[in-house]
Amino acid sequence: MTIYKEDVLTTTQCRVCPIRESTLFKDVLKHKLNGVQKHRTRQISFSARSTVFREYEVHDSVYTLFSGWGIVFKTVNNNGKRQILRFILPGDFIGFQSNSDGVMTHSVSVITPAVFCEFSRENLKHMLKKDAGLAVRLVEMETRDMSLCQSHLMAAGRKTARESISFLLLELFHRVRIHVPVSYDSSTNSIGFPITQEDIGDAVGLTKIHVNRVIKELIRDKLIKLHKKQLTILNEKKLSEIAEFRLDGITGQSLV
Amino acid sequence: MTIYKEDVLTTTQCRVCPIRESTLFKDVLKHKLNGVQKHRTRQISFSARSTVFREYEVHDSVYTLFSGWGIVFKTVNNNGKRQILRFILPGDFIGFQSNSDGVMTHSVSVITPAVFCEFSRENLKHMLKKDAGLAVRLVEMETRDMSLCQSHLMAAGRKTARESISFLLLELFHRVRIHVPVSYDSSTNSIGFPITQEDIGDAVGLTKIHVNRVIKELIRDKLIKLHKKQLTILNEKKLSEIAEFRLDGITGQSLV
DNA sequence: CGACCTTTTGATTGGCGTCAAAATCTGTGG
DNA sequence: CCACAGATTTTGACGCCAATCAAAAGGTCG
């Protein structure tokens, strides 16, 4: 983990960052950014597969991802197994918790090289208390993440391997397509897809071996193509049926 | 579903209700309750095993549970299987979503006879925009629920049946003990426990048959007792170790 | 008391895990 | 630019946890 930039961001720097529609500070950018930036805000870059913070650690920053992919996960101490709770894409917000001791309930690390913008959680909490609009935006993002988490719970608990994996692929495909358009190639209907089959397994609750068997099936059935870190959706209709996937909850519609 | 009381609640009626510490309207009770109550607020009671609202339906109310137990769940359309996403206890808040079309992403029904207090979601959204304190409280509750959902995802994905079931029993035990003290008997360390083994299975992603086998084991090992809708924790230390259970995230500490 | 719901037990099956190892890809240094 | 080491994917054999099927026993409520 290397500090990319220690000093405070300027408004200009933030404007050029690829912050997507549903990002926490969307409205803030217009008129309150100076307030946000006053307190220990900086960019940090991480090398591939490195750790941002760990479960059980005290950590008092929150982050917005600028570029790269990351994961939020927990580990079973008994057996060391990992469960990925969600994938983080550019524009996503992480690290917020409402407990007062600052002990994290999950770990975050990155898959690819990644750049985050860091904020103080305490400062964010102060701002939330004063700015209802900001708080509402946070609620929105939380409910979207909650909806996704619930879909994953349903997949892990009640769906077959084929269904769960199809769901995850479609979810990531559409999140990238909508929120990270630079990584989406509309001519081939494909996205950059930097995660391993082991990551997929840890997200849906399967072993990498079984993930591989199922993915080969999906490829054999001409539903997807997966090659050189590129994921192509060949038959979205059929895949969506298998996964029982629907776009609501991915789009992140606004409350306002 | 029967309408218990059509007219608006009075402040007095609300005071006597067993609203627990972390309820959404905690602070509001003091000085803003009139505002909350102005718009179509009433009590509704449901008979055991009846439905409050269903996934895919448009539904524009939100609720606080006064008494009884309920569940939030989703159903796999392919095979009709149910996944319980969370159990609702007195004081819990349900029905909030940030999507604008009001189509619910999950179903809610009750286990026991239950009484809810109903609010208009639109009205709540308006209030949120004006009242940062209320929004912050909602964020708090959302993050607590999120933390629980993530724990369940980890259980479903990466824990054994014994571990998952132990976790669920401990979670419910402590939530009742802390938030519904009337249902907790400290002399026997037991709680009223109205759910079936099938409900447990649908929450952790197992069949009722397997749940039964595992629960019999837990009873044989003198970790719990389960009789006549009463759950007794006999060996909390060992059970917590098996489940990797910790109280953080259940207590619902305040952000403020 | 009778119908239905829930729990319990037994027998059998199957989806996915585990173990092992080969094949392929990737990135890094010489 | 190649070589090599480690990471990732792929394949096969085998085992086990939990699902499925079936049915009895016990509880609950009108």
Side-chain angles (χ1 to χ4, degrees):
Chain A
M1 150 175 170
T2 56
I3 308 289
Y4 190 71
K5 209 167 194 322
E6 272 280 322
D7 49 350
V8 168
L9 288 173
T10 66
T11 308
T12 316
Q13 280 179 306
C14 249
R15 279 248 181 75
V16 297
C17 289
I19 298 185
R20 70 152 204 262
E21 178 74 7
S22 61
T23 289
L24 184 61
F25 296 106
K26 176 197 170 195
D27 291 338
V28 180
L29 280 174
K30 297 172 196 155
H31 52 286
K32 292 208 192 77
L33 194 56
N34 292 333
V36 180
Q37 288 179 155
K38 253 201 299 255
H39 310 260
R40 203 176 129 251
T41 297
R42 58 183 187 181
Q43 272 189 21
I44 307 189
S45 88
F46 293 83
S47 57
R49 296 283 166 189
S50 62
T51 300
V52 180
F53 57 78
R54 255 183 262 278
E55 194 179 354
Y56 308 128
E57 272 179 17
V58 173
H59 194 85
D60 43 35
S61 295
V62 299
Y63 305 87
T64 295
L65 180 56
F66 277 177
S67 62
W69 286 48
I71 51 175
V72 176
F73 64 99
K74 275 173 176 274
T75 304
V76 184
N77 299 320
N78 285 338
N79 54 26
K81 283 179 184 168
R82 179 179 72 158
Q83 174 69 45
I84 292 179
L85 303 171
R86 63 188 249 242
F87 288 91
I88 314 165
L89 298 179
D92 284 341
F93 178 67
I94 55 161
F96 189 82
Q97 298 188 179
S98 54
N99 60 343
S100 50
D101 55 7
V103 175
M104 304 311 293
T105 63
H106 53 250
S107 308
V108 168
S109 65
V110 301
I111 305 255
T112 64
V115 180
F116 288 87
C117 186
E118 181 182 63
F119 305 89
S120 144
R121 189 186 308 116
E122 268 318 302
N123 183 36
L124 173 60
K125 285 183 179 177
H126 283 125
M127 288 177 56
L128 285 177
K129 277 191 256 184
K130 287 185 198 145
D131 185 342
L134 187 65
V136 167
R137 184 159 296 281
L138 184 56
V139 168
E140 264 177 60
M141 296 179 74
E142 287 281 325
T143 53
R144 192 199 73 137
D145 288 343
M146 174 66 105
S147 173
L148 263 182
C149 185
Q150 291 179 339
S151 295
H152 289 153
L153 176 54
M154 165 137 113
R158 288 297 184 218
K159 285 183 173 175
T160 64
R162 188 179 170 89
E163 291 163 354
S164 301
I165 291 172
S166 299
F167 188 97
L168 183 68
L169 296 181
L170 281 168
E171 174 205 322
L172 291 172
F173 176 78
H174 281 106
R175 283 176 63 193
V176 169
R177 180 177 64 76
I178 295 168
H179 298 304
V180 198
V182 285
S183 302
Y184 170 64
D185 181 344
S186 62
S187 67
T188 58
N189 205 37
S190 62
I191 60 169
F193 195 73
I195 69 178
T196 67
Q197 295 181 2
E198 186 165 17
D199 294 328
I200 295 176
D202 286 346
V204 296
L206 298 166
T207 59
K208 57 188 170 188
I209 287 95
H210 199 65
V211 167
N212 181 262
R213 289 193 268 248
V214 173
I215 283 190
K216 298 233 88 184
E217 266 181 47
L218 295 177
I219 293 172
R220 171 172 53 67
D221 298 347
K222 299 202 174 17
L223 300 171
I224 64 167
K225 210 156 66 180
L226 193 49
H227 189 59
K228 298 249 182 197
K229 303 289 175 196
Q230 282 286 123
L231 168 67
T232 308
I233 304 294
L234 294 175
N235 190 337
E236 187 176 334
K237 188 166 176 298
K238 207 162 181 181
L239 201 62
S240 300
E241 279 169 20
I242 292 169
E244 291 196 22
F245 177 85
R246 38 186 67 224
L247 263 176
D248 340 351
I250 306 293
T251 48
Q253 301 162 50
S254 179
L255 180 85
V256 189
Chain B
M1 148 178 170
T2 56
I3 307 289
Y4 190 71
K5 208 166 197 318
E6 273 279 323
D7 48 350
V8 167
L9 287 173
T10 65
T11 309
T12 315
Q13 280 179 307
C14 250
R15 280 249 181 74
V16 298
C17 288
I19 298 185
R20 70 153 204 262
E21 177 75 7
S22 61
T23 289
L24 184 60
F25 296 106
K26 177 197 169 195
D27 290 339
V28 180
L29 280 173
K30 297 172 195 155
H31 52 285
K32 293 209 191 77
L33 195 56
N34 292 333
V36 181
Q37 287 179 155
K38 254 202 298 254
H39 309 259
R40 204 177 128 249
T41 298
R42 59 183 186 183
Q43 272 190 21
I44 307 187
S45 88
F46 293 83
S47 57
R49 296 283 163 189
S50 62
T51 300
V52 181
F53 57 77
R54 255 183 261 277
E55 196 179 353
Y56 307 127
E57 273 179 16
V58 173
H59 194 85
D60 42 38
S61 295
V62 298
Y63 305 87
T64 295
L65 179 58
F66 277 178
S67 62
W69 286 49
I71 52 175
V72 176
F73 65 99
K74 275 172 174 279
T75 304
V76 183
N77 298 321
N78 285 338
N79 54 26
K81 283 180 183 167
R82 179 179 72 158
Q83 174 68 47
I84 293 180
L85 303 171
R86 62 187 249 241
F87 288 91
I88 314 165
L89 299 179
D92 283 341
F93 178 66
I94 55 160
F96 189 82
Q97 299 187 180
S98 54
N99 59 342
S100 49
D101 55 8
V103 175
M104 304 311 292
T105 62
H106 53 249
S107 308
V108 168
S109 65
V110 300
I111 305 255
T112 65
V115 180
F116 289 86
C117 186
E118 181 182 63
F119 304 88
S120 145
R121 190 188 305 116
E122 268 318 303
N123 183 36
L124 174 60
K125 285 182 179 179
H126 283 125
M127 288 177 54
L128 285 177
K129 278 191 259 185
K130 288 183 198 143
D131 185 343
L134 187 65
V136 166
R137 182 159 298 281
L138 184 56
V139 168
E140 264 177 61
M141 297 179 73
E142 287 279 327
T143 54
R144 194 200 71 138
D145 289 342
M146 174 65 106
S147 173
L148 263 181
C149 185
Q150 292 180 339
S151 295
H152 289 154
L153 176 54
M154 164 135 113
R158 288 299 185 216
K159 285 183 174 175
T160 64
R162 188 179 169 91
E163 291 163 354
S164 300
I165 291 172
S166 299
F167 189 97
L168 183 68
L169 295 180
L170 281 169
E171 175 204 324
L172 291 172
F173 176 78
H174 282 106
R175 282 177 63 193
V176 168
R177 180 178 64 77
I178 295 169
H179 299 304
V180 198
V182 285
S183 302
Y184 172 63
D185 182 344
S186 62
S187 68
T188 59
N189 206 37
S190 63
I191 60 168
F193 196 74
I195 70 179
T196 67
Q197 294 181 2
E198 187 166 17
D199 294 329
I200 295 175
D202 286 345
V204 296
L206 298 165
T207 59
K208 57 188 171 188
I209 288 97
H210 199 63
V211 168
N212 181 264
R213 290 194 264 251
V214 173
I215 282 190
K216 298 232 87 184
E217 266 181 47
L218 295 178
I219 293 172
R220 170 172 52 68
D221 297 347
K222 299 203 173 17
L223 299 172
I224 64 167
K225 211 155 66 180
L226 194 48
H227 190 59
K228 297 252 183 196
K229 304 287 175 198
Q230 283 286 124
L231 168 67
T232 309
I233 303 294
L234 294 175
N235 189 339
E236 187 176 334
K237 188 165 177 298
K238 209 163 181 180
L239 200 62
S240 300
E241 279 169 19
I242 292 169
E244 289 195 23
F245 178 85
R246 38 186 67 223
L247 264 176
D248 341 353
I250 306 293
T251 48
Q253 301 161 51
S254 179
L255 180 85
V256 190

